[in-house]
Amino acid sequence: MTPAILDTLTQHVFAQLPQTPNQVRRLFHGRGRCFEGLEQITVDFLAGQLFIALFKEISPADEHSLMERLLSWTQQEAWPTSNIKALLIQYRYRPNHPTQVLWGEGEKDLVVDEEGLKFQLTLGRNQNAGLFLDMRYGRRWVTEHSQNKRVLNLFAYTCGFSVAAIEGKAEMVVNLDMAKGALNRGRDNHRLNDHDLTKVKFFAHDIFKSWGKIKKYGHYDLIIIDPPSFQKGSFALTTDYQKILRRLPELLNENGQVLACVNDPSLPAQFLIDSMQLEAPELHFQCRLENPPEFPDIDIESGLKALIFSKST
């Protein structure tokens, strides 16, 4: 990594530092391939923890240069007022490799703020801290379109969409995810926001074996589908997404909506539009949500695809 490349990283990070100590925000997104030589790096501000993720192995010389530059940030004039308490790095290409503290005192458990909503994150061995930052506009859209609605949240993870829906005055939210621990964190996220948990259901079930339970609480006014690209033994996006789409017409109320997402860089938005047309022709594509500006990408189809569909009457 040349000094010029590292200067680019430094300038972007310090230009984007938030003023609110508890805020959460992507500061640098190299994975969008808009910054040559920095494609493998992301930097997030997580409530005072500056979290650097390295997605591909680099040469020992480049790693040494990167570490020197990261530590030099603590000598920057803006550092004392940056609200940064720790510098952390995670080697994403090393399975089960713990997050390392480069400077300061790292905190394992954090409560962060995203547009007024609180979420608990955990920085440790897990590669995902508990909130996908590129879905910020998706959660905002759900908050704005949930009033008095019955919402089904599939692949709920830590229930970010559920929190957004209840904040938007949803009548009820049903969350499904195979990971009980993630749903427990989702319950905690609702509590952080002082939500009425009687309006929220949490089911740690395999979606494909739970259609009866899902239908029991339907029909729904809004269904959210945000699956992993691949989950060994339980979900493969290119073959299993269609099984969900064909169930949508029977689960939705008249004029119901669907927020369907794909985060596989190899699949364009058209994959989802075509699949919906084939499996659930009653649902019509309405629009694609923009991605937050802090996630620039050289190819829009490589980033997150969050699409809105509506059921015709």
Side-chain angles (χ1 to χ4, degrees):
M1 290 184 177
T2 66
I5 288 173
L6 293 172
D7 285 347
T8 297
L9 176 64
T10 300
Q11 291 164 8
H12 276 269
V13 167
F14 278 84
Q16 300 300 320
L17 279 174
Q19 299 303 308
T20 306
N22 291 330
Q23 194 172 349
V24 57
R25 191 62 55 89
R26 174 66 48 94
L27 302 183
F28 183 81
H29 185 65
R31 299 194 78 199
R33 297 170 293 164
C34 293
F35 305 97
E36 187 175 357
L38 295 166
E39 295 86 354
Q40 67 274 40
I41 296 176
T42 62
V43 182
D44 294 327
F45 183 88
L46 307 176
Q49 310 287 297
L50 203 61
F51 188 84
I52 299 100
L54 196 59
F55 285 81
K56 292 183 180 179
E57 189 171 7
I58 57 179
S59 70
D62 280 347
E63 184 172 357
H64 178 74
S65 297
L66 175 62
M67 293 304 164
E68 279 196 332
R69 178 57 65 99
L70 294 177
L71 290 172
S72 77
W73 289 355
T74 64
Q75 306 303 315
Q76 291 269 344
E77 184 178 350
W79 192 260
T81 59
S82 66
N83 297 313
I84 298 172
K85 303 173 185 175
L87 268 175
L88 313 173
I89 189 164
Q90 183 185 75
Y91 295 87
R92 290 290 294 262
Y93 59 89
R94 299 176 183 171
N96 300 317
H97 194 275
T99 298
Q100 294 182 6
V101 179
L102 300 178
W103 176 89
E105 296 185 8
E107 296 180 40
K108 180 181 177 182
D109 296 309
L110 306 169
V111 174
V112 301
D113 178 285
E114 182 194 69
E115 300 189 346
L117 294 178
K118 297 182 180 67
F119 299 95
Q120 187 172 349
L121 306 186
T122 298
L123 308 180
R125 288 189 176 275
N126 292 334
Q127 289 193 337
N128 296 318
L131 189 71
F132 294 108
L133 303 186
D134 57 349
M135 194 58 82
R136 179 164 65 93
Y137 282 3
R139 286 185 286 271
R140 179 192 293 178
W141 185 91
V142 168
T143 299
E144 294 171 348
H145 292 83
S146 293
Q147 187 169 7
N148 301 323
K149 291 184 177 180
R150 299 173 67 84
V151 180
L152 173 62
N153 185 23
L154 301 177
F155 304 98
Y157 187 43
T158 56
C159 304
F161 282 122
S162 181
V163 170
I166 293 297
E167 188 70 17
K169 310 300 182 185
E171 177 184 323
M172 182 192 74
V173 181
V174 174
N175 295 290
L176 263 85
D177 196 286
M178 289 184 66
K180 185 176 181 180
L183 291 178
N184 287 339
R185 175 57 56 86
R187 189 179 283 106
D188 292 339
N189 283 335
H190 276 290
R191 291 189 179 115
L192 281 173
N193 291 279
D194 297 321
H195 288 164
D196 182 357
L197 284 174
T198 64
K199 296 182 177 181
V200 190
K201 308 292 183 184
F202 305 90
F203 297 119
H205 299 318
D206 183 336
I207 289 170
F208 299 108
K209 299 177 181 178
S210 305
W211 295 117
K213 185 177 289 291
I214 291 171
K215 291 169 68 174
K216 176 182 176 182
Y217 291 94
H219 291 73
Y220 301 93
D221 304 295
L222 173 61
I223 297 177
I224 301 161
I225 316 167
D226 185 21
S229 297
F230 179 77
Q231 200 168 59
K232 187 176 181 180
S234 62
F235 188 84
L237 194 149
T238 54
T239 57
D240 290 332
Y241 214 134
Q242 293 84 347
K243 299 175 185 177
I244 297 173
L245 299 182
R246 68 178 63 125
R247 294 275 188 170
L248 295 177
E250 63 183 290
L251 296 173
L252 279 168
N253 283 322
E254 292 183 0
N255 302 314
Q257 291 181 295
V258 174
L259 170 57
C261 309
V262 173
N263 204 5
D264 186 325
S266 68
L267 292 175
Q270 197 63 42
F271 160 79
L272 201 46
I273 294 171
D274 291 343
S275 296
M276 188 73 81
Q277 178 63 34
L278 180 64
E279 302 293 344
E282 301 97 322
L283 274 73
H284 301 285
F285 173 62
Q286 299 297 308
C287 66
R288 175 177 176 174
L289 301 183
E290 291 185 2
N291 290 337
E294 61 267 27
F295 288 85
D297 204 299
I298 197 170
D299 179 5
I300 190 174
E301 296 299 333
S302 295
L304 170 67
K305 280 76 66 172
L307 279 59
I308 308 298
F309 296 86
S310 293
K311 185 180 180 183
S312 60
T313 56

